[in-house]
Amino acid sequence: MHSVKKTLAAGLMAAITVQTSWAAESPTVIEFVRPLGMGGAFTALSDDKNAFTYNPAGMVQRTGGEVTIFEIVAGGSEDLKEAYEFIDENNDELTDFDTLPAPEQVRLANEIQNKIARLRPHAYFGADVASYVSGPLFKGVHLGFGLMGLADARFRLYNGAVAPLIDYSINSDVLLPVSLAKRWNAPLVPGKIGVGVTGKYIKRSQVSESRLSVFELDDIEVPPMTEGSAIGSDLGFLYQPSGRWNVGLMVRDFLGTKMKFDAREAEDGFAAKESRDTVIRPRTNIGVSVVPKSYFGLGHTSDRLTLSADVRDIFGKDTHVLFQ
């Protein structure tokens, strides 16, 4: 029990003390159909291959193994639709921004500043090529591993000194996760507690450009890819005070996942890039789920109803959960 307490204390302290002073690099987050159908509120439920994304400790809920062969998911954010519609409707004005009358320039700049610049559009395509999540094995340890892929595209439109500017980044990731989890009787409180850890290798191919003028919208050329790789880890906890309640905590990219990008030679008119080191900052998510006995007193659920809620990135300054 003493080792369990030490593990819990170390994970919680890391979640609290590690802040967001890292260089920005997008995490590898692959959300499949089941958690998407629950609005992403899956930290306290992740008992399948989604444990690699949401909470490796969730594997302790399994009584048998699960094998997945080639599941795919694709989608885009609401921000993507809104930003695309704005660019499509104002394409001519944006590309000819310097020739517009001053009032029209002011109108576009204000709309970009007050509305469009705040959006975070992205589109994604994910694939579980093959994965396995076990039931309890030797001494109750659960094992999971897989091969997954993710293509994630993001861009941002904002005002520049002369004309609106665009930043964009497209990441193509190959993810190799290996997870272990185990459950014990909880110390000092009723119920059980599970602890899980994921070690992961990420191979990333990236295309990105920053401060691209809208004057170039009609003639954008894609730069060569830069290649990077990283070895990181995720840490998760699952507290089960009873058979109906779960409380989960997940520290994704525990202590920061350091990624190293290789140098890129000059090619097709694009300048060479030096090698660089960056990091995927930690993000701490918490979640709770319950399987109620009845529909709020109107009849038995037969355990076919699950209610869940998540709060994501609770220590992130941009999410304003605990800061500002």
Side-chain angles (χ1 to χ4, degrees), residues 82-83 86 111-119 156-157:
E82 190 170 344
F86 174 81
E111 189 168 356
I112 290 171
Q113 179 67 29
N114 297 326
K115 185 178 180 181
I116 305 303
R118 299 181 182 185
L119 302 177
R156 185 167 70 101
L157 178 66

Side-chain angles (χ1 to χ4, degrees), residues 38-106:
M38 302 190 72
F42 214 66
T43 302
L45 294 172
S46 55
D47 59 354
D48 56 13
K49 63 179 177 298
N50 293 287
F52 302 130
T53 291
Y54 284 94
N55 188 355
M59 294 192 303
V60 301
Q61 302 170 91
R62 297 199 63 83
T63 57
E66 176 191 78
V67 176
T68 302
I69 303 294
F70 201 69
E71 179 180 349
I72 62 174
V73 64
S77 67
E78 280 292 323
D79 284 2
L80 175 67
K81 179 182 177 183
E82 190 170 344
Y84 174 80
E85 289 176 349
F86 174 81
I87 292 175
D88 185 55
E89 292 171 0
N90 297 278
N91 183 67
D92 293 339
E93 290 83 356
L94 288 170
T95 52
D96 297 327
F97 187 84
D98 57 337
T99 64
L100 293 177
E104 186 66 12
Q105 289 184 345
V106 171

Side-chain angles (χ1 to χ4, degrees), residues 2 8 21 38 148 189 279 312:
H2 183 63
L8 286 171
S21 59
M38 302 190 72
M148 298 181 173
V189 292
V279 69
R312 298 188 182 185

Side-chain angles (χ1 to χ4, degrees), residues 97-279:
F97 187 84
D98 57 337
T99 64
L100 293 177
E104 186 66 12
Q105 289 184 345
V106 171
R107 181 194 68 80
L108 273 177
N110 286 339
E111 189 168 356
I112 290 171
Q113 179 67 29
N114 297 326
K115 185 178 180 181
I116 305 303
R118 299 181 182 185
L119 302 177
R120 294 295 181 268
H122 75 101
Y124 60 88
F125 175 88
D128 180 352
V129 180
S131 66
Y132 171 71
V133 180
S134 80
L137 301 175
F138 180 67
K139 292 190 176 181
V141 174
H142 294 250
L143 169 68
F145 55 86
L147 169 62
M148 298 181 173
L150 173 68
D152 186 281
R154 301 170 185 265
F155 73 92
R156 185 167 70 101
L157 178 66
Y158 57 100
N159 287 324
V162 177
L165 301 174
I166 295 176
D167 294 349
Y168 73 86
S169 177
I170 302 172
N171 293 330
S172 176
D173 293 350
V174 174
L175 173 67
L176 295 170
V178 177
S179 298
L180 295 172
K182 183 173 172 58
R183 180 164 54 185
W184 296 267
N185 291 325
L188 305 179
V189 292
K192 296 183 178 182
I193 190 162
V195 180
V197 62
T198 297
K200 56 188 179 182
Y201 172 78
I202 303 170
K203 178 66 176 178
R204 173 165 291 181
S205 300
Q206 185 178 83
V207 175
S208 64
E209 284 287 305
S210 60
R211 303 188 64 80
L212 187 71
S213 172
V214 293
F215 297 152
E216 303 173 71
L217 276 177
D218 288 337
D219 193 29
I220 293 178
E221 293 189 13
V222 179
M225 285 189 171
T226 54
E227 304 289 337
S229 61
I231 295 177
S233 62
D234 303 326
L235 181 63
F237 303 91
L238 184 71
Y239 174 50
Q240 298 174 289
S242 70
R244 295 186 177 275
W245 284 88
N246 285 355
V247 180
L249 184 148
M250 162 74 154
V251 187
R252 184 181 293 140
D253 296 297
F254 181 63
L255 299 180
T257 296
K258 296 180 180 179
M259 181 168 288
K260 183 176 180 63
F261 282 94
D262 299 331
R264 190 192 73 193
E265 296 182 356
E267 184 179 340
D268 297 332
F270 291 94
K273 283 190 175 182
E274 297 181 352
S275 62
R276 62 185 177 92
D277 294 337
T278 183
V279 69

